[in-house]
């Protein structure tokens, strides 16, 4: 990202803000159902395992669909892909809101995941292509949208969930409809000649050792991520607003470290070193969460500390994947995301089943072991990842410079 033109990350064309707004709402969908999981379980007479499948269907389809998103967008164009994705989210969020049984909600969340995959896989490329200030400004803006969405999602879910478990779904319908109109009206269709991407591109990408190592590490890391996010509402024992406020704090912590702390660390420490230091710290946090799970205040602290560590990991892993191969970024990202979302898909119901069989401590131990496996994967594969460290020293300087320039 060297050579990024100076300028404010916040002075962007209208089409960039349209996509960024839609990004915020799309990322809200990750944590939106968190505060209403107990309410859905109670209202729809569903078990904890059944309720956690709301995450599984969403993440599983999101991950699998990532394998075809570059193929789709290379044929119909970025704007059309964004609109199809947003349209699907609006339709399936509305169907979730009017559903009468948990099985229907699980199925409609899968459709939501398809729309989410089409949208988020295209949004970053669209922002990078249209943003002023170069790719450094674009990535900062994208990470800010991600952090804001992840933070606001649980809070909005808590506020609307106090009225009804259906409320958060109706909220997404309204916001995504606004995002659809904004993208339709403000985003210009690219005049560049399209180069159709072969359907096999993401599968062949996983044959690259560096990308394969990062994808496997991310799979196990995402188990820890989604145990903390998706299982914790049950042992917390709070109402929708209490859960929403807890995960709002988690999301703010994640946003702060992903946008500011991670780039600062990457200017001083290699990417692989950050990963193999941060993951064991996350494992310790998860073990402590498991040991203190019966004390809500302590669990809240562990959740927020986890958010700080997860923010660092998200940004560093994304930067590493972008440098892992010489493949087009959309292909590398699609292949990597497909694998990592599988970890997120399996984690919530497994955690609920472990809790039902062995108690609430065991899911956190399971998550801790998973993130340690992720750290070991990177440690063993460090030789294959050496080039991402060579490219990474000094990473984040442009982003930090942009932020400092804005503050000045």
């Amino acid at each position: 990202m060297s050579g990024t033109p100076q300028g404010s990350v916040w002075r962007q064309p209208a089409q960039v803000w349209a996509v960024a707004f839609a990004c915020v709402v799309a990322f809200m969908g990750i944590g939106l159902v968190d505060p209403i999981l107990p309410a859905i379980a109670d209202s729809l007479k569903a078990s904890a395992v059944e309720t956690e499948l709301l995450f599984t269907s969403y993440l599983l389809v999101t991950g699998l669909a990532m394998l075809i998103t570059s193929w789709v967008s290379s044929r119909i164009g970025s704007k059309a892909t964004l609109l199809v994705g947003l349209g699907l989210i609006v339709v399936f969020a509305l169907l979730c809101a009017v559903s009468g049984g948990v099985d229907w909600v699980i199925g409609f969340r899968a459709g939501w995941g398809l729309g989410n995959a089409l949208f988020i896989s295209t949004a970053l490329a669209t922002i990078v292509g249209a943003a002023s200030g170069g790719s450094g400004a674009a990535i900062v803006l994208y990470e800010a949208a991600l952090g804001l969405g992840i933070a606001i999602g649980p809070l909005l879910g808590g506020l609307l969930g106090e009225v009804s478990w259906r409320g958060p779904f109706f909220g997404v319908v309204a916001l995504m409809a606004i995002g659809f109109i904004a993208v339709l009206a403000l985003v210009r269709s690219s005049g560049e000649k399209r180069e159709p991407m072969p359907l096999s591109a993401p599968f062949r990408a996983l044959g690259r050792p560096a990308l394969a190592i990062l994808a496997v590490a991310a799979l196990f890391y995402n188990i820890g991520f989604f145990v903390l996010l998706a299982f914790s509402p049950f042992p917390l024992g709070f109402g929708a607003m209490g859960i929403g406020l807890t995960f709002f704090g988690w999301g703010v912590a994640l946003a702060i470290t992903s946008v500011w702390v991670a780039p600062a660390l990457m200017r001083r420490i290699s990417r692989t070193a950050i990963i193999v230091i941060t993951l064991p710290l996350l494992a310790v946090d998860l073990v402590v969460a498991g040991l203190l799970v019966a004390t809500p205040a302590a669990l809240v602290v562990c959740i927020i500390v986890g958010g700080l560590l997860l923010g660092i990991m998200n940004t560093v892993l994304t930067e590493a994947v972008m440098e892992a191969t010489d493949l087009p970024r959309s292909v590398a990202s699609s292949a990597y995301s497909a694998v990592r979302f599988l970890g997120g898909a399996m984690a919530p119901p497994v955690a609920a089943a472990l809790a039902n069989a062995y108690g609430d401590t065991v899911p956190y131990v399971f998550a801790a072991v998973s993130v340690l496996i992720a750290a070991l994967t990177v440690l063993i594969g460090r030789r294959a990842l050496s080039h991402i460290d060579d490219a990474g020293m000094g990473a984040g300087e442009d982003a930090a410079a942009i932020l400092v320039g804005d503050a000045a």
Side-chain angles (χ1 to χ4, degrees):
M1 293 187 296
S2 59
T4 303
Q6 291 185 351
S8 172
V9 69
W10 310 119
R11 298 190 188 103
Q12 300 293 347
Q15 63 176 329
V16 171
W17 287 116
V19 178
F21 169 77
C23 281
V24 172
V25 183
F27 290 123
M28 282 166 50
I30 295 175
L32 183 85
V33 300
D34 240 32
I36 56 172
L37 287 175
I40 289 176
D42 182 60
S43 299
L44 300 181
K45 310 303 179 188
S47 68
V49 174
E50 288 175 320
T51 309
E52 294 286 29
L53 290 175
L54 293 175
F55 279 98
T56 298
S57 61
Y58 172 80
L59 293 169
L60 180 62
V61 173
T62 296
L64 293 177
M66 285 288 184
L67 295 170
I68 64 167
T69 52
S70 58
W71 181 84
V72 172
S73 63
S74 69
R75 282 161 172 78
I76 68 173
S78 296
K79 181 175 180 177
T81 306
L82 291 172
L83 290 173
V84 170
L86 290 169
L88 286 172
I89 294 172
V90 170
V91 169
F92 283 105
L94 179 60
L95 290 171
C96 285
V98 299
S99 294
V102 70
D103 291 340
W104 286 104
V105 182
I106 291 168
F108 292 139
R109 280 280 285 179
W112 186 339
L114 174 60
N116 199 54
L118 290 168
F119 175 78
I120 65 174
S121 65
T122 311
L124 178 57
T126 304
I127 290 175
V128 169
S132 60
S135 62
I139 290 172
V140 169
L141 190 61
Y142 183 80
E143 290 289 344
L146 186 154
L148 189 61
I150 285 179
I152 293 176
L155 186 61
L156 180 66
L159 287 168
L160 297 178
E162 287 288 330
V163 179
S164 166
W165 68 265
R166 301 178 191 272
F169 295 118
F170 281 120
V172 168
V173 171
L175 290 171
M176 272 303 187
I178 295 171
F180 182 94
I181 294 169
V183 170
L184 181 65
L186 299 175
V187 175
R188 297 187 297 272
S189 297
S190 173
E192 297 179 4
K193 183 180 178 181
R194 295 178 196 145
E195 296 183 9
M197 197 75 66
L199 193 58
S200 61
F203 298 96
R204 287 189 282 108
L206 290 171
R208 303 288 185 95
L211 190 62
I213 289 166
L214 291 171
V216 171
L219 185 150
F220 287 101
Y221 158 68
N222 255 26
I223 291 175
F225 185 108
F226 280 98
V227 167
L228 194 67
L229 173 65
F231 172 70
S232 296
F234 288 98
L236 273 174
F238 296 162
M241 196 65 239
I243 297 171
L245 287 170
T246 297
F247 282 94
F248 173 71
W250 170 85
V252 169
L254 188 149
I256 289 170
T257 53
S258 65
V259 175
W260 284 287
V261 177
L265 288 173
M266 286 189 288
R267 293 198 303 273
R268 295 166 176 82
I269 310 172
S270 69
R271 291 181 178 126
T272 54
I274 295 172
I275 292 170
V276 298
I277 291 170
T278 305
L279 286 174
L281 291 175
L282 178 59
V284 170
D285 180 65
L286 288 165
V287 169
V288 173
L291 294 174
L292 302 178
V293 70
T295 307
L299 184 55
V300 168
V301 172
C302 289
I303 289 169
I304 293 173
V305 170
L308 294 170
L309 298 169
L310 294 170
I312 294 171
M313 281 300 306
N314 281 356
T315 296
V316 175
L317 276 173
T318 300
E319 291 272 359
V321 168
M322 294 300 99
E323 299 291 345
T325 70
D326 57 358
L327 295 168
R329 289 188 171 190
S330 61
V331 174
S333 178
S334 295
Y336 161 81
S337 296
V339 176
R340 75 184 175 99
F341 276 120
L342 295 179
M346 66 179 271
V350 170
L354 288 172
N356 186 56
Y358 305 108
D360 289 343
T361 297
V362 175
Y364 293 102
V365 175
F366 163 65
V369 171
S370 296
V371 299
L372 287 176
I373 293 173
L376 186 61
T377 301
V378 172
L379 193 60
I380 292 173
R382 261 185 117 163
R383 180 172 295 181
L385 298 173
S386 59
H387 62 288
I388 71 169
D389 288 335
D390 295 338
M393 296 306 291
E397 288 179 2
D398 295 318
I402 291 165
L403 289 168
V404 170
D406 288 348

